[in-house]
Amino acid sequence: MTTHTISVLAGDGIGLEVMPVAIEVLDAATRDAGVRLDWRVQDWGSDYYRAHGTMMPADAIETMAATDAIFLGAVGHPDVSDVETLWGMLIPIRRAFDQYVNLRPVRSFAGVRSSLAGDPEIDVVIVRENVEGEYSAVGGRSYQGTPHEAAYQQSLFTRHGIERIATYAVEVASGRRKHLVSATKSNGIIHTMPFWDEVVAEVVDRAGDIELESVLIDALAARAVRSPQSLDVIVASNLFGDILSDLVAGAVGSIGIAPSANLNPAGEHPSMFEPVHGSAPDIAGRGIANPVGQIWAGAMMLRHLGHPQIADQIEAAFTAVVERGEVTPDLGGTLSTREVGAAVIAELAAQR
Ligand code: ATP
Ligand code: MG
């Protein structure tokens, strides 16, 4: 019996509704497979913030460091600013545990209408750099209250940072169509982006058998909506990857399906797995949130923990359920969050 301890941060809003359902699915999938998941549930997030003035306690990083992975729901509340949730929780976790890869698979499901003409089949993996680049805290504001008021912010790209994200992207591409698109903007951003292009090309050259296409981010955005079938693996900087992954995920249908992994690939520190969606205050408390993004994130977690077969089974199960139309209202169905979870568990049993 292998045991993995998992830090559970359900967070706020629908995070509290989809998390228990995903946990039930993961427990059902691991039960007869010799794997036990030891859930360490924490009540951190916006409610914690309103009671204590911080999103999580001072020893939170230490507490999570002693576990094998972090399973996150969603954090955010209308009364708590995005800056608080991001810089008080998500960014400190990513940085403390050096989760330098943000991995976002996006694919279409039969029967789920995309917002793109012709309903193209989409199967893309976006590999986003997660700890440096445009989202540095280096900068400032000057001359406030004068006509010369100004703001400036540095992007910071390191050779080490680009090499390791490109190396990870090459690995992903090797297991797929061996075609890698690198998002760039070296015609307009003339210092960091040519450096990005150079280092990515070096890494791809060393790998030998991967075809590299460097595409300007504006053209890539257009291509992602006009011919997403031409894309397989995309490697992108922090900002470009952020925008592009929402763009592609938005194109396939509900934001409620998409998962995201914040990886420390070598496993020196715990990695974090979460759905792409937020706390969705507009539908929270109604029991109708789509749990598939959280369940898929759980499958990615099991894959990372060394259980690819269980991950495959979970993915096959929710795919069958979604494609049969057993879905929540965001996908045009009538099922509740819990009913979708029960359908996935029944499908897992049926596939055995
Ligand atoms: P946050 O500030 O926490 O990021 P948000 O409102 O910016 O929240 P989301 O929570 O992602 O962003 O919600 C965007 C829209 O998508 C909302 O209308 C929400 O109801 C819908 N939505 C998000 N997640 C789901 C889900 N799992 N199931 C159904 N609808 C969802
Ligand atoms: Mg949001």
Side-chain angles (χ1 to χ4, degrees):
M1 177 73 83
T2 313
T3 299
H4 301 289
T5 53
I6 314 289
S7 294
V8 177
L9 281 53
D12 309 306
I14 62 167
L16 296 162
E17 300 170 37
V18 293
M19 180 62 82
V21 168
I23 286 178
E24 274 175 32
V25 170
L26 267 63
D27 278 339
T30 50
R31 192 164 292 131
D32 302 320
V35 177
R36 194 174 73 88
L37 300 172
D38 178 4
W39 307 103
R40 306 284 171 89
V41 178
Q42 310 294 352
D43 65 348
W44 308 334
S46 300
D47 283 341
Y48 188 95
Y49 178 84
R50 279 177 297 178
H52 301 91
T54 57
M55 294 292 292
M56 51 188 193
D59 62 357
I61 296 291
E62 219 180 302
T63 304
M64 288 182 280
T67 62
D68 298 320
I70 303 163
F71 201 28
L72 178 81
V75 283
H77 188 277
D79 300 342
V80 180
S81 82
D82 268 2
V83 172
E84 235 20 275
T85 53
L86 261 177
W87 291 87
M89 197 159 175
L90 301 178
I91 292 175
I93 293 175
R94 282 179 204 156
R95 300 224 159 143
F97 298 134
D98 206 16
Q99 294 164 349
Y100 64 86
V101 176
N102 184 201
L103 188 64
R104 293 186 173 202
V106 182
R107 64 183 167 84
S108 44
F109 290 77
V112 177
R113 286 277 299 279
S114 86
S115 48
L116 302 180
D119 232 348
E121 226 172 88
I122 301 177
D123 184 0
V124 178
V125 176
I126 296 168
V127 178
R128 168 192 173 197
E129 204 292 322
N130 212 24
V131 292
E132 58 169 47
E134 302 89 347
Y135 294 171
S136 78
V138 185
R141 296 181 65 156
S142 299
Y143 315 125
Q144 270 147 297
T146 80
H148 306 288
E149 183 169 11
Y152 50 97
Q153 181 152 358
Q154 295 287 340
S155 296
L156 195 89
F157 287 81
T158 64
R159 173 169 285 279
H160 173 64
I162 304 170
E163 273 177 0
R164 63 184 186 172
I165 195 67
T167 301
Y168 188 84
V170 162
E171 255 171 57
V172 176
S174 299
R176 292 173 54 100
R177 281 160 30 196
K178 299 192 191 307
H179 178 256
L180 180 63
V181 166
S182 167
T184 185
K185 191 63 192 173
S186 44
N187 59 346
I189 303 174
I190 60 168
H191 297 295
T192 52
M193 278 296 135
F195 182 45
W196 168 274
D197 292 351
E198 256 168 63
V199 179
V200 170
E202 282 171 28
V203 171
V204 172
D205 266 356
R206 278 202 295 273
D209 63 342
I210 303 292
E211 186 195 342
L212 173 68
E213 234 188 304
S214 224
V215 184
L216 296 172
I217 185 65
D218 43 346
L220 184 53
R223 179 160 151 189
V225 295
R226 297 190 62 156
S227 58
Q229 311 93 314
S230 71
L231 300 167
D232 187 46
V233 181
I234 302 173
V235 63
S237 65
N238 212 331
L239 171 65
F240 291 167
D242 193 7
I243 298 172
L244 209 54
S245 51
D246 268 32
L247 178 90
V248 180
V252 300
S254 169
I255 189 178
I257 290 183
S260 158
N262 300 270
L263 299 176
N264 175 259
E268 296 149 326
H269 308 284
S271 294
M272 176 164 69
F273 302 83
E274 58 177 322
V276 164
H277 66 76
S279 60
D282 55 336
I283 59 162
R286 292 169 52 196
I288 55 163
N290 189 340
V292 172
Q294 188 78 56
I295 295 169
W296 192 349
M300 292 179 85
M301 179 166 75
L302 286 170
R303 193 177 298 284
H304 178 75
L305 290 171
H307 307 292
Q309 275 186 327
I310 307 176
D312 286 346
Q313 287 166 2
I314 296 172
E315 291 188 19
F318 70 68
T319 300
V321 166
V322 169
E323 296 192 342
R324 275 204 299 269
E326 295 174 19
V327 291
T328 41
D330 55 305
L331 295 183
T334 56
L335 265 56
S336 69
T337 308
R338 297 209 146 272
E339 286 167 341
V340 172
V344 174
I345 290 171
E347 181 62 29
L348 271 171
Q351 289 187 0
R352 287 223 165 107

